[in-house]
Amino acid sequence: MPASWDYDLFVIGAGSGGVRAARLTALGGKRVAIAEEFRVGGTCVIRGCVPKKFMVMASDFSHQFQTAEGYGWTIDASFDWPKFIHAKDVEIARLSGIYAANLGKAGVDLIHGRAVLRDAHTVEIIGKNQTITAEKILIATGGRPWMPEDMPGIEHAITSEEAFHLPELPKRILIAGGGYIAVEFAGIFAGLGVETTLIYRGPNILRGFDDDVRAHLAGEIEKRGIKVILGCQHSAIEKTATGLVNKLENGMEIETDVVMFATGRVPHVKDLGLETAGVALNDKGAIEVDSLSKTTADNIWAIGDVTDRMNLTPVAIREAVAFHETVFRDNPQHFDYEAVATAVFSQPPVGTVGLSESEARHSCPGAVDVYVTRFRPMKYAFTGSDERMLMKLVVDAESQKVVGVHIVGPEAPEMIQLAAIAVKAGLTKAQWDATCAVHPTMAEELVTLKEKQSTNTSAG
C-alpha cells in the first residue's frame, strides 16, 4: 500500500453492514476506519428493527391481557409511555455501545462525523478539517424515510424515526402508507390504546406480498381496532387549534393529534460526493453495483439499503461478508437473494419465504399447487375471539418443490425461519408431509396440509 494511503479500507456508515465489513477486514490484519455521522448501529439498532420490536412487544400486552381474562385472570393494567421510552432508549444506547466497543476490539478506528468523497481514494470528515485516504472504500449509508415534500402541510407530519421519540402518546394518529413499516406502527399505536387510522393509496396493504396474506392481514388488523382506508391518499394537512386535519383526496377529513408518513424509504446518497469519485446511481436513485457489490469506481463498493437490492438487515450483513471474502480474501462471493425469509411484525405478525402464488404462476414452467388453511389458534379457544390464522404453501406441480410459504398469525416470524431452511434446500411437498407433526401446535399445520386449494397452469 502506498504510504499516501492512510487505510486499506475506509467504510462510510456504521450500520449493520458497514460494521460487519469493517470488523472482518480489521480482524484479517488490514488497517480499517469507519465513519458514522449519527450513532453506531445504523437504522436497525437505532431507529429501525430493534426499537420497533420493543414497541411491538410493549403494545401486544394489551391483547395478551384480553386473552388472559378468558383463562380466568383479572387484570387491571395501565401503560406509562415515558417509562417505556426511557427503558427503550437505555437499551438502544447499550447496544450502540456494544457495536462501538466491538469495532475497537477489532482494531477499527471509529470516526464520529459525516464523511464525503472528494475523489476515488479520499474522504473529508465535514466540520473536522480532516482528510483521509484509503486504498478501498465501502459505502454503507443505508436509507432514509421519504415524504412528499410538495404536499401542503407536510411539515406537520412525522416519519417512523420521530415516532420512536414522541414526548407523549397521542390519543389519535393517522398513518399514511401500506408497507411493513406503516402496518407495524399501526399495530403498535392501536395496541397502546391510540385511535388509529391507516390510509393507503393502493387496493390493499403490503404490496408485493402474497394476495391471500394481504387480504387476510387487512381483515385481522381491523379486528384489532385499526381503521383501514384504501385507494386514497392525502391532499393536504391543516393544523388547527384542536389537532391536525387530514384532508383526503376522496373528500374525507380526519382530525388526529399525529400524522405519520411511512410511504417508503430512499437510499441515503445525498451530498456523499459520489460524482466526484465516479460512483454512478441507477434509475431508482440507488448506488449502481454489480453482483459483487462493486460500484462504477474501480476501488469503491457499496452494500445494504443504499444499493436498494433487498433492504433487510440480515441481507446487508451477508453482503458485508461476501464483500470481505471477495475483496480481501481472494474468494469471490455474491449473496443469493432467492428464498430469503422475512417477517412483518404487524399484529398479528406475518412470516413469508419464497414465491407468492402469483409469482409462482409466472415463473414455474408448469402448473402450481396451492394449499391453504385458515383456523382459530388454540390460544383463543376461551376468549370468544374470531381471530384467524392463515397458512399457505405454494408448490411447483412439476417438481413438487415447495417454493413459497406464507403465514399470518401468532409466532409466524419464528416459524418462518425454520420453514425457510426447507424452502432454501428445495424440499418437496412429500418430504414436508413425511415430517411428523408436533402436537398440539400451530406449526403442525405446515406438515399436515393435504387438500389442494387449486392446481392451475402458470401464466408462463
Side-chain angles (χ1 to χ4, degrees):
M1 181 179 72
S4 59
W5 288 337
D6 300 313
Y7 293 98
D8 298 289
L9 174 66
F10 191 94
V11 182
I12 304 176
S16 298
V19 166
R20 179 61 60 90
R23 289 184 64 239
L24 287 175
T25 305
L27 289 170
K30 300 297 184 181
R31 294 196 294 171
V32 181
I34 189 168
E36 173 55 53
E37 61 181 310
F38 185 49
R39 295 171 67 186
V40 176
T43 295
C44 181
V45 174
I46 306 301
R47 50 187 177 268
C49 324
V50 175
K52 179 269 306 284
K53 185 72 179 290
F54 286 136
M55 295 180 82
V56 169
M57 290 188 289
S59 63
D60 189 51
F61 277 108
S62 61
H63 185 66
Q64 294 183 41
F65 293 153
Q66 293 173 2
T67 304
E69 290 178 359
Y71 284 81
W73 289 88
T74 299
I75 298 172
D76 182 17
S78 61
F79 180 70
D80 188 328
W81 173 259
K83 182 178 180 180
F84 165 72
I85 291 297
H86 174 72
K88 181 263 297 179
D89 289 345
V90 168
E91 177 62 10
I92 296 306
R94 185 185 74 85
L95 293 174
S96 179
I98 290 174
Y99 270 63
N102 286 340
L103 285 169
K105 292 176 183 177
V108 178
D109 289 343
L110 174 59
I111 299 169
H112 293 282
R114 184 166 69 90
V116 175
L117 292 162
R118 291 308 179 208
D119 61 41
H121 289 280
T122 308
V123 297
E124 178 186 352
I125 308 302
I126 302 302
K128 294 194 173 183
N129 194 29
Q130 185 178 7
T131 299
I132 297 169
T133 60
E135 180 184 8
K136 296 176 175 64
I137 295 173
L138 176 66
I139 302 171
T141 49
R144 294 292 184 273
W146 177 87
M147 289 199 297
E149 296 179 357
D150 57 348
M151 193 188 83
I154 192 65
E155 68 273 12
H156 302 304
I158 67 169
T159 70
S160 59
E161 294 189 355
E162 293 79 41
F164 291 120
H165 303 286
L166 289 173
E168 60 184 12
L169 194 63
K171 290 182 172 59
R172 306 163 298 174
I173 190 169
L174 185 144
I175 299 174
Y180 70 95
I181 297 176
V183 171
E184 289 171 342
F185 272 96
I188 288 168
F189 284 110
L192 295 176
V194 179
E195 182 182 312
T196 303
T197 301
L198 181 68
I199 177 175
Y200 180 53
R201 65 181 181 178
N204 210 341
I205 58 175
L206 292 185
R207 181 171 62 88
F209 283 72
D210 185 90
D211 286 337
D212 280 337
V213 169
R214 301 172 71 191
H216 187 88
L217 183 63
E220 292 301 310
I221 66 174
E222 287 188 311
K223 293 176 184 177
R224 298 283 184 107
I226 298 169
K227 183 178 182 180
V228 180
I229 302 174
L230 299 171
C232 188
Q233 60 185 340
H234 277 85
S235 59
I237 301 172
E238 181 181 343
K239 185 175 178 61
T240 69
T242 56
L244 298 173
V245 177
N246 297 270
K247 298 184 177 183
L248 308 183
E249 289 183 342
N250 63 1
M252 291 178 63
E253 292 190 356
I254 302 173
E255 185 179 77
T256 60
D257 305 304
V258 172
V259 182
M260 174 182 155
F261 267 71
T263 45
R265 294 175 66 84
V266 294
H268 183 40
V269 296
K270 185 178 180 181
D271 299 327
L272 274 178
L274 299 179
E275 289 184 3
T276 63
V279 177
L281 301 180
N282 61 25
D283 56 3
K284 295 182 179 180
I287 293 180
E288 182 180 328
V289 292
D290 64 15
S291 62
L292 298 177
S293 296
K294 190 174 184 180
T295 72
T296 51
D298 285 342
N299 64 296
I300 301 178
W301 288 258
I303 59 172
D305 292 7
V306 75
T307 66
D308 197 27
R309 288 176 286 183
M310 185 175 283
N311 299 340
L312 298 170
T313 295
V315 171
I317 292 172
R318 295 292 291 272
E319 289 173 350
V321 175
F323 158 79
H324 170 70
E325 290 289 328
T326 299
V327 178
F328 291 101
R329 292 179 60 85
D330 195 25
N331 179 29
Q333 291 187 6
H334 62 85
F335 178 67
D336 179 5
Y337 297 94
E338 288 190 11
V340 174
T342 190
V344 181
F345 291 98
S346 48
Q347 298 180 45
V350 175
T352 183
V353 63
L355 303 178
S356 68
E357 180 179 346
S358 177
E359 289 170 335
R361 294 199 187 285
H362 283 83
S363 62
C364 292
V368 174
D369 295 342
V370 177
Y371 300 81
V372 179
T373 182
R374 296 176 178 86
F375 59 93
R376 185 177 67 174
M378 183 179 177
K379 183 177 182 179
Y380 302 135
F382 300 162
T383 68
S385 169
D386 63 347
E387 183 168 319
R388 311 288 287 180
M389 187 147 192
L390 168 74
M391 290 186 173
K392 180 173 183 177
L393 300 183
V394 180
V395 180
D396 179 345
E398 183 176 323
S399 67
Q400 278 299 293
K401 289 182 179 180
V402 178
V403 295
V405 180
H406 310 279
I407 308 172
V408 183
E411 310 304 329
E414 302 293 339
M415 283 186 259
I416 206 65
Q417 178 67 83
L418 296 180
I421 299 173
V423 174
K424 192 73 172 177
L427 299 189
T428 65
K429 180 66 166 60
Q431 289 172 309
W432 283 65
D433 294 345
T435 303
C436 188
V438 178
H439 181 76
T441 66
M442 295 175 289
E444 68 181 296
E445 297 287 336
L446 291 171
V447 297
T448 58
L449 282 167
K450 302 299 182 185
E451 294 187 14
K452 299 175 189 177
Q453 182 190 64
S454 62
T455 303
N456 295 328
T457 303
S458 69

